[in-house]
Amino acid sequence: MNSEHAAYEARFGWTARTVLMTLIGLAFFGCAFLPNAPLLMALSVGAFGLVGLLTFSVGALSRKVALRVDENGVTLGGSPLPVGYKTDVVPWTDIISVVLWTQHIGRKKMPYIGLQRKQGSPQLPGQPYGPRRQRMYETLIPHVSPEIVHASRPVNLWNLDRARLESAVETFAPQVEVVDISHR
């Protein structure tokens, strides 16, 4: 099997959440045009809705790489927005496991994909990390080590195909496990 065919790539795009958030933004924007609405409230609500509408639709339309697993390692995509988009490529030699985990935010759950990296691996560029951030991770997400949280991305505005992920990891790095701790 050729390596490009075995690679797994997920891109930002239209998901159920993206559509829902875009529609909510559109609804808020529409509220700005309600008759008899106080001007300041109409402008505030309309601006909030417009920002949401543009953020989610531009993110979905960007089709930027959210995750890629190939012979080079794992590419973690950044924000799909035009400003500040970057990716972090982590070579297989630095990866112990690919970790699927969930952050609970009230009754909502946000799935994440992260990497357990070998001790001494270089810091991911552009990812601030230090004692304060480590304490924050330990407090907010106690079931996941701060090192994994630091090398994680939310599965948000894109879909993760677990079977294709596992197949690509098995193809390119059979020594690396895919571990699911999302039910902890």
Side-chain angles (χ1 to χ4, degrees):
M1 177 182 300
N2 100 19
S3 65
E4 190 58 35
H5 180 69
Y8 169 56
E9 184 174 273
R11 292 181 172 272
F12 292 102
W14 293 106
T15 66
R17 182 177 288 185
T18 312
V19 171
L20 176 65
M21 297 308 290
T22 301
L23 290 174
I24 289 171
L26 184 60
F28 272 90
F29 181 67
C31 288
F33 299 99
L34 291 175
N36 301 324
L39 181 62
L40 185 59
M41 185 178 87
L43 290 174
S44 300
V45 170
F48 176 78
L50 184 61
V51 167
L53 173 68
L54 291 174
T55 298
F56 287 99
S57 57
V58 166
L61 292 170
S62 76
R63 301 294 299 150
K64 292 180 179 174
V65 172
L67 176 74
R68 183 171 171 84
V69 179
D70 60 22
E71 67 274 356
N72 298 316
V74 176
T75 301
L76 299 170
S79 165
L81 299 178
V83 178
Y85 175 76
K86 61 167 191 51
T87 59
D88 291 321
V89 179
V90 181
W92 290 117
T93 54
D94 290 352
I95 301 172
I96 296 170
S97 62
V98 176
V99 182
L100 305 174
W101 60 278
T102 302
Q103 181 178 14
H104 302 274
I105 306 163
R107 293 185 307 186
K108 301 284 184 195
K109 297 177 182 178
M110 176 62 70
Y112 279 79
I113 183 166
L115 303 174
Q116 181 180 11
R117 300 179 328 128
K118 293 179 181 170
Q119 194 77 18
S121 295
Q123 185 174 343
L124 296 178
Q127 296 293 315
Y129 191 68
R132 281 187 179 164
R133 185 148 306 221
Q134 183 170 343
R135 283 191 301 279
M136 179 183 73
Y137 291 157
E138 289 168 345
T139 302
L140 297 175
I141 313 156
H143 64 288
V144 183
S145 79
E147 292 75 21
I148 293 173
V149 175
H150 180 68
S152 293
R153 297 294 189 276
V155 180
N156 190 25
L157 308 181
W158 60 281
N159 291 312
L160 177 68
D161 183 332
R162 185 169 174 172
R164 290 195 54 215
L165 168 69
E166 289 175 343
S167 176
V169 171
E170 176 65 28
T171 298
F172 298 112
Q175 75 283 4
V176 172
E177 279 186 279
V178 176
V179 180
D180 188 344
I181 60 170
S182 59
H183 301 292
R184 291 187 185 170

